Amino acid sequence: MAPLWTAWIRIPCNTNTPPRNSLQALICIIVYGGVCVYLFDTMRTFQWLALGSVVGSAFALTPEKLITAPRRDNAVPNRSGKVALFSTAQYSFDTHSSSSAWWSLIDLKSGKVSQLTNDSNVSELTWLGPTDSSLLYINGTNADVPGGVELWIADSSDFTNSRYKAASLPASFSGLKTAVTKSGDINFLVYGQSYGNGTAYNEELAVTPLSSARIYDSIYVRHWDSWLSTNFNAVFSGTLKKKGSKSGSHYALDGSLKNLVAGTKNLESPYPPFGDSGDYDISPNGKWVAFKSKAPELPRANHTASYIYLVPHDGSKKAEAINGPDSPGTPKDVKGDSSAPAFSPDSKKLAYFQMTDISYEADRRTLYVYTLGSEKTIATLARDWDRSPDAVKWNAKGNSLILGTEDHGREKLFTLPADAGDDYKPKNFTDGGSVKGFYNLPGGEVLVTGSAIWTSWAVYTASPEKGVIDTLFSANEVDPGLKGLGPDDFDEFTYKGNWTDIHSWIIYPTGFDKSKTYPLLFYIHGGPQSAWTDSWSSRWNYKVWADQGYVVVAPNPTGSSGYGDKLTDAIQNNWGSYPYDDLVKGWEYVRDNFDFIDTDNGVAAGASYGGFMVNWIQGNPLGREFKALVSHDGTFVADSKVATEELWFIEHDFNGTFWANRDNYRRWDPSAPEHILQFDTPMLLVHSSKDYRLPVSDGLALFNILQERGVPSRLLNFPDENHWVLKQENSLVWHQQVLGWINRYSGVGKKNPDAVSLDDTTVPVVDFNP
Ligand SMILES: *[C@@H]1O[C@H](CO)[C@@H](O)[C@H](O)[C@H]1NC(C)=O
Ligand SMILES: *[C@@H]1O[C@H](CO)[C@@H](O)[C@H](O)[C@H]1NC(C)=O
Ligand SMILES: *[C@@H]1O[C@H](CO)[C@@H](O)[C@H](O)[C@H]1NC(C)=O
Ligand SMILES: *[C@@H]1O[C@H](CO)[C@@H](O)[C@H](O)[C@H]1NC(C)=O
Ligand SMILES: *[C@@H]1O[C@H](CO)[C@@H](O)[C@H](O)[C@H]1NC(C)=O
Ligand SMILES: *[C@@H]1O[C@H](CO)[C@@H](O)[C@H](O)[C@H]1NC(C)=O
Ligand SMILES: *[C@@H]1O[C@H](CO)[C@@H](O)[C@H](O)[C@H]1NC(C)=O
Ligand SMILES: *[C@@H]1O[C@H](CO)[C@@H](O)[C@H](O)[C@H]1NC(C)=O
Ligand SMILES: *[C@@H]1O[C@H](CO)[C@@H](O)[C@H](O)[C@H]1NC(C)=O
C-alpha cells in the first residue's frame, strides 16, 4: 500500500491517521482517492466516520488514557538498517496489571510494525550483528538457579523455533551490551548487585538476617528511595564462544562471569538510582570496558565527583581511572561528575562528558576524548560551547560525534567533528520535540526516537546534512487514547523577566477557541536546574492538565537549564529572589497579553523545587493571585534542609555548609512567621514517604500549619512512592486528587461536567474535623 500519492497520504490521509474532521475526510476521499485506502480496513473507516460526526466536541486526554497508553522504548535498528526493534508495555485498569513488555520490529521503509514476541520471559532483546539477523536476550527464568537468568539466542526471522539457551547466569542480571571479537566470540556485559567480596548477589538465595537493624559509620546512609547496604552495583563480563559443527554450531558461555568493578574498594557502577547500561560501554573489538564510578577517595554525600574507569574485558587487570586525580591525562581543574562513556568505532578512543565543579550536580558537561594505548591523552572538544550535552555517539566513520543536549526547551541532536577546537559551535540537526535515543544507520543517517508535548513516541530518520528526513511512526496517530493530539496543541513565547528574557511554553486544551477564556494553570518546574521541555511525560503531562479546561503556562525562569550557564547558575543562593520575580513577571505578562487566559481564576502547581516555590508563593503576594495551589514534595522549613542525603546539593545551592552559612539556608524560608501569616490560598499537599531527598516531614510540617491557620488544605501521601508517583493505581489517585483540587477552586469543575472531581475519590478521606 505505497501508491503514487504516498506523500499526500502521509499528511492528511495516512492510513493510521484519521482525518481530523469530516471536511478533511471528504477532501481525502475525493481528491486523493483515499477511499480505496480507507476501505481496506472497514473497522478503521467506521471509526473515522464516528470521529467525523463528533467534530467540535471535546476530545480529552484523561488521566486514564495517559496511564493506559502504550509505553515504548527506543527503536534500535539492525546493522543493515532495514528494521528496528523496540519494546512496549501497557497497563490496564480492567485487569489492574501491566502487560509484560512485548517486542516489535518496525520496518524502516514502510513504518509497518510487526510483533516479534510477547513472551514475558524475554527482556533486553539485542541485535547480535554483524553477520546476521540474530538476537541475544535475557530470559527471566533460570531452569537451574532460582533468582538467576539465562542468555538466549534467536533469529528475528523465526523467533520461536530458532531460539536456544547460550548461558545460565547465577543472579538477576540486566543491562546487556555486546561486541563481536575478531575470532567471532561474543563478548558481553551485564550488571547486577555484588557482595563486598565480588560474588554476584542473588536476592532469592540470600540469607535473611534475623534483625532488621542497619548500622552506619559514614554518611549517605540512604539515597532516593533505598537505604545503602554493603552490596553495590557492579558490571560483569562474559564470553560466548561458538561451539559444535559448522551447520549446527551454537554459542555457549566460556568460563564464568568476571566482576570488573569489585577489585577497587568503593567503586560502584552503574551508579544508583538512575545509572543503567549507559554508565558503561564495551569497545567494538570486545577488548575494553569503560565504566563510570563515583570517586572512591571522597565521601559520597558531599561530592559529585566521578571518574571513567578502563578495564580489559577479560578482567586480567584492575580497573584504572582515566581522569582521576592521579591519571596522567586529567584536564586541569576538572573534578566533577563524569558520564556517558562511548568507544569510537575503531576502539582506539573513548568519548565521555565531565563537569568541572567537584560538588555541583548541574554544572555544564564538557565533551572529552581519551586516546587508549600508551598515549592516555585527553582532548577537550568545543570547550566554550554554552550547552550541557548528556548523550554522545560516534558516527560510523569515527570522524565526528553526535550529541544530544537540552537546548531552548527541547532535547536536540548536534554534531561536531572529532577534532573540534575550543571555539567550535556544534550544529543542531533536529529541532522540535525531545530526543530520547539515536542510533547510526548505514549511509550516515541516524534513527531517532523522541517525544513531544503532543506525542508519547515518535521514530524518525535524520542526518547532520539533511536534518529530519522522514517520520516513520508517531504514537498520536496510532494509539486510540492519544487520538486528536497534534503539533497545534502548544506554542511558546518570551517575556522580560527579572534580569533576562524568559522562555515559556503555552499548552492549549483540546477544542481550544481563542475567543473564549480558560483559567490559567501556572506550571512551576523542579530541579531547580532543569526545564519544561517539548516532551511527553507520564507524570505532569501538560495536556492532561490542559484538557480539564485550562491553558497551561510553563515558564523556564532563572535556574532553568538549556539556555546557557548564566541562567542556570544564577539561582545559586537565590532560590526565592530572581526565580520568584521571573514568575511574577510571567504571570503579569500572561494577564496583560492573552485575552483567552482567565488569570482571575488561575491556579499554580509545582513539584520538588517547584513545590518549594509554590510554598514560597503561598506566603508572598503572588499567592493571592491564585484560586488554588498544588505543592508536590517541596521543602518547607529552611532549617530541615539538612535532613537530605544529597549534601552536595544543598551545600552548592545555599553556597556553604549548614553551620557556617546558615543565613543562606534561611533567606528564603517559607516557614518564617511573616510568610505563614500570609497563607490564605487553598492548598493541596502531596508528599510521599519514600522520598528520602526531600523527606516527608516537610509536607507534614506544612500541613500542620495550613490546618492550624484555617487554610483549606488536604494532604495526599503515598507510603510506597518516592519523589515520583509511579505505580499506575497511585498515579490515577494522584491525578484524581490534584485535578479535582484545582477544578474545585478554579470553577472548571462547575463549567465542565466531564472534569475530574474530588467527589469521585475511590480512597476514603480521613477527616476528624469537629
Ligand atoms: C501474545 O500474542 C499472541 C499473538 O498475537 C496473542 O494471541 C496472545 O494473547 C498474547 N499473549 C499475551 C500474554 O499477551
Ligand atoms: C517462563 O519460562 C518458564 C519455564 O519454561 C515457564 O514455566 C513460564 O511459564 C514462562 N513464563 C511465561 C510467561 O511464559
Ligand atoms: C536486518 O533485518 C532484515 C529484515 O529482518 C534482515 O533481512 C537482515 O538480515 C537484518 N540484518 C542484520 C545485519 O541483522
Ligand atoms: C526461558 O528459559 C526457560 C528455562 O530454561 C525455558 O524453559 C523457556 O523456554 C525460555 N523461554 C524463552 C522465551 O526463551
Ligand atoms: C561472598 O560473600 C557471600 C555473602 O557472605 C557468600 O555467600 C559467598 O560465598 C562469598 N563468596 C566467596 C567467593 O567467598
Ligand atoms: C564531607 O564529609 C566528610 C565526612 O564524611 C568531611 O570530612 C568533609 O569535611 C566534608 N566536606 C565538606 C566540604 O564539608
Ligand atoms: C536548529 O535549531 C534552530 C533553533 O535554534 C532551528 O531554527 C533550526 O531549524 C534547527 N535546525 C535544524 C536542522 O533542525
Ligand atoms: C529582581 O529581583 C530582585 C530580587 O527579588 C529584586 O530586588 C529586583 O527589584 C528585581 N529587579 C527588577 C528589575 O524587577
Ligand atoms: C558563595 O560564597 C563565596 C564565598 O563566600 C562568595 O564569594 C560567592 O559570591 C558566593 N556566591 C553566591 C552566588 O552567593
Side-chain angles (χ1 to χ4, degrees):
M1 214 184 300
L4 294 172
W5 58 78
T6 306
W8 290 102
I9 289 178
R10 271 247 138 103
I11 308 155
C13 312
N14 187 313
T15 50
N16 284 328
T17 318
R20 291 277 171 75
N21 54 47
S22 46
L23 183 67
Q24 214 180 61
L26 211 69
I27 292 172
C28 288
I29 290 167
I30 294 170
V31 180
Y32 305 117
V35 67
C36 319
V37 179
Y38 299 152
L39 288 176
F40 273 110
D41 185 332
T42 43
M43 220 17 237
R44 280 193 182 148
T45 308
F46 181 74
Q47 277 177 14
W48 294 340
L49 291 178
L51 228 118
S53 68
V54 292
V55 172
S57 91
F59 147 91
L61 182 63
T62 60
E64 287 85 350
K65 286 184 187 172
L66 173 74
I67 297 167
T68 58
R71 296 187 187 178
R72 302 179 179 87
D73 209 344
N74 293 338
V76 184
N78 76 353
R79 204 179 156 83
S80 66
K82 291 209 163 71
V83 296
L85 185 65
F86 65 93
S87 70
T88 311
Q90 195 167 11
Y91 191 80
S92 160
F93 283 116
D94 297 330
T95 60
H96 299 286
S97 66
S98 274
S99 69
S100 59
W102 70 90
W103 295 84
S104 310
L105 292 173
I106 177 166
D107 185 298
L108 297 188
K109 215 173 205 165
S110 65
K112 204 176 149 250
V113 171
S114 54
Q115 180 178 298
L116 193 60
T117 176
N118 61 358
D119 188 317
S120 67
N121 276 326
V122 176
S123 64
E124 305 209 17
L125 266 174
T126 309
W127 292 111
L128 203 47
T131 48
D132 51 24
S133 49
S134 67
L135 294 155
L136 182 66
Y137 63 92
I138 291 182
N139 178 329
T141 300
N142 188 310
D144 309 314
V145 186
V149 296
E150 295 176 346
L151 293 182
W152 282 59
I153 288 175
D155 195 277
S156 68
S157 59
D158 186 8
F159 186 82
T160 307
N161 297 313
S162 62
R163 66 189 184 209
Y164 67 91
K165 173 168 138 182
S168 163
L169 306 184
S172 170
F173 291 103
S174 56
L176 197 53
K177 280 200 172 171
T178 63
V180 179
T181 68
K182 222 164 145 189
S183 56
D185 297 341
I186 298 161
N187 280 357
F188 69 87
L189 300 175
V190 286
Y191 79 88
Q193 287 257 300
S194 166
Y195 284 115
N197 61 16
T199 299
Y201 169 78
N202 180 330
E203 196 177 1
E204 275 190 42
L205 300 180
V207 182
T208 312
L210 297 173
S211 162
S212 60
R214 306 170 174 125
I215 306 176
Y216 295 89
D217 276 348
S218 59
I219 46 175
Y220 209 59
V221 303
R222 61 181 195 173
H223 185 221
W224 190 251
D225 60 6
S226 54
W227 290 74
L228 268 68
S229 73
T230 51
N231 296 338
F232 52 88
N233 275 346
V235 182
F236 291 76
S237 66
T239 297
L240 302 176
K241 265 196 190 316
K242 215 167 207 175
K243 295 185 177 159
S245 67
K246 249 187 195 160
S247 56
S249 67
H250 275 189
Y251 284 98
L253 184 65
D254 188 53
S256 56
L257 298 187
K258 307 228 162 40
N259 186 328
L260 301 180
V261 170
T264 305
K265 188 171 163 19
N266 289 348
L267 292 194
E268 173 157 32
S269 187
Y271 205 73
F274 304 117
D276 56 18
S277 60
D279 277 4
Y280 54 85
D281 197 24
I282 183 166
S283 65
N285 65 9
K287 283 190 182 157
W288 293 99
V289 174
F291 65 82
K292 158 196 177 152
S293 171
K294 229 170 151 163
E297 80 285 8
L298 294 170
R300 290 180 175 195
N302 57 13
H303 295 89
T304 53
S306 70
Y307 313 129
I308 302 294
Y309 286 79
L310 193 64
V311 58
H313 177 270
D314 62 11
S316 56
K317 275 193 272 179
K318 249 173 71 165
E320 261 179 52
I322 62 167
N323 58 341
D326 305 323
S327 316
T330 301
K332 200 168 165 291
D333 298 330
V334 178
K335 299 182 170 158
D337 179 43
S338 304
S339 54
F343 284 100
S344 61
D346 64 4
S347 302
K348 290 183 176 154
K349 295 188 180 219
L350 181 65
Y352 67 94
F353 300 119
Q354 193 171 6
M355 297 179 179
T356 301
D357 194 289
I358 198 164
S359 59
Y360 178 23
E361 67 172 30
D363 199 13
R364 185 211 295 177
R365 277 176 290 264
T366 301
L367 178 63
Y368 295 97
V369 172
Y370 173 83
T371 303
L372 279 76
S374 53
E375 264 197 61
K376 300 189 178 179
T377 53
I378 294 177
T380 311
L381 275 65
R383 187 197 307 259
D384 305 338
W385 188 38
D386 197 10
R387 286 296 179 268
S388 187
D390 53 15
V392 57
K393 279 209 172 76
W394 296 79
N395 71 345
K397 285 190 190 139
N399 60 1
S400 71
L401 296 118
I402 297 170
L403 303 175
T405 186
E406 212 174 53
D407 178 50
H408 210 78
R410 290 103 169 147
E411 176 88 11
K412 299 180 187 170
L413 292 181
F414 284 73
T415 179
L416 79 173
D419 59 358
D422 282 355
D423 59 355
Y424 188 86
K425 291 269 167 293
K427 294 179 179 63
N428 68 298
F429 62 96
T430 70
D431 188 17
S434 287
V435 172
K436 302 289 173 212
F438 56 99
Y439 297 86
N440 287 321
L441 288 170
E445 294 180 6
V446 284
L447 185 68
V448 187
T449 305
S451 77
I453 285 173
W454 50 275
T455 186
S456 63
W457 198 77
V459 177
Y460 51 96
T461 50
S463 80
E465 294 76 30
K466 296 184 204 149
V468 172
I469 299 164
D470 193 16
T471 299
L472 295 153
F473 190 102
S474 186
N476 65 311
E477 299 185 347
V478 177
D479 297 342
L482 309 189
K483 233 168 215 169
L485 295 180
D488 297 338
D489 293 342
F490 74 110
D491 205 342
E492 57 195 312
F493 63 95
T494 299
Y495 66 91
K496 286 239 165 314
N498 180 275
W499 59 278
T500 188
D501 284 353
I502 298 298
H503 175 232
S504 175
W505 296 111
I506 177 166
I507 297 92
Y508 308 117
T510 299
F512 174 69
D513 177 349
K514 237 183 146 130
S515 67
K516 295 196 172 128
T517 64
Y518 305 84
L520 166 69
L521 179 66
F522 209 45
Y523 231 40
I524 304 171
H525 72 68
Q529 296 90 354
S530 118
W532 291 123
T533 55
D534 178 8
S535 64
W536 187 260
S537 176
S538 49
R539 301 170 295 113
W540 294 81
N541 181 295
Y542 313 94
K543 268 300 274 181
V544 166
W545 294 64
D547 278 1
Q548 294 294 306
Y550 299 87
V551 170
V552 176
V553 173
N556 284 327
T558 300
S560 298
S561 51
Y563 302 86
D565 292 344
K566 220 173 147 191
L567 190 75
T568 311
D569 297 347
I571 199 168
Q572 186 188 22
N573 230 355
N574 273 296
W575 269 35
S577 60
Y578 311 135
Y580 174 76
D581 199 48
D582 286 339
L583 292 171
V584 170
K585 291 185 161 61
W587 182 86
E588 287 167 353
Y589 184 89
V590 167
R591 180 196 57 196
D592 298 343
N593 289 278
F594 298 113
D595 291 343
F596 53 81
I597 300 183
D598 169 10
T599 43
D600 290 341
N601 290 294
V603 296
S608 196
Y609 169 83
F612 158 85
M613 181 48 80
V614 170
N615 300 347
W616 180 246
I617 285 171
Q618 173 69 287
N620 277 282
L622 184 60
R624 306 296 72 77
E625 304 296 349
F626 297 111
K627 283 277 193 276
L629 300 171
V630 175
S631 169
H632 176 120
D633 290 12
T635 60
F636 175 53
V637 182
D639 278 0
S640 74
K641 289 204 177 81
V642 75
T644 186
E645 74 284 24
E646 293 187 346
L647 295 181
W648 70 77
F649 176 73
I650 55 169
E651 289 176 4
H652 172 270
D653 270 39
F654 305 107
N655 202 18
T657 61
F658 195 59
W659 59 94
N661 309 79
R662 184 70 69 91
D663 286 351
N664 292 350
Y665 289 75
R666 290 185 174 162
R667 194 161 298 124
W668 290 284
D669 181 4
S671 76
E674 65 271 25
H675 296 298
I676 288 177
L677 291 171
Q678 297 182 52
F679 286 10
D680 197 28
T681 304
M683 191 165 197
L684 175 72
L685 295 177
V686 188
H687 217 129
S688 296
S689 300
K690 288 185 79 175
D691 187 345
Y692 296 161
R693 284 160 71 245
L694 308 176
V696 65
S697 50
D698 265 44
L700 299 175
L702 178 49
F703 189 56
N704 284 343
I705 305 279
L706 288 165
Q707 288 278 315
E708 285 210 313
R709 297 282 309 156
V711 180
S713 48
R714 176 173 275 194
L715 176 72
L716 172 63
N717 166 259
F718 297 97
D720 52 347
E721 298 283 0
N722 55 35
H723 202 49
W724 302 332
V725 175
L726 297 176
K727 294 179 178 159
Q728 288 89 348
E729 301 289 338
N730 288 343
S731 176
L732 186 62
V733 172
W734 183 92
H735 279 95
Q736 200 268 323
Q737 288 297 305
V738 164
L739 299 176
W741 187 262
I742 58 171
N743 290 348
R744 168 177 291 180
Y745 293 100
S746 64
V748 158
K750 282 203 195 82
K751 253 200 294 194
N752 177 4
D754 295 331
V756 173
S757 161
L758 285 182
D759 300 333
D760 301 338
T761 180
T762 53
V763 177
V765 178
V766 182
D767 181 0
F768 289 113
N769 271 318

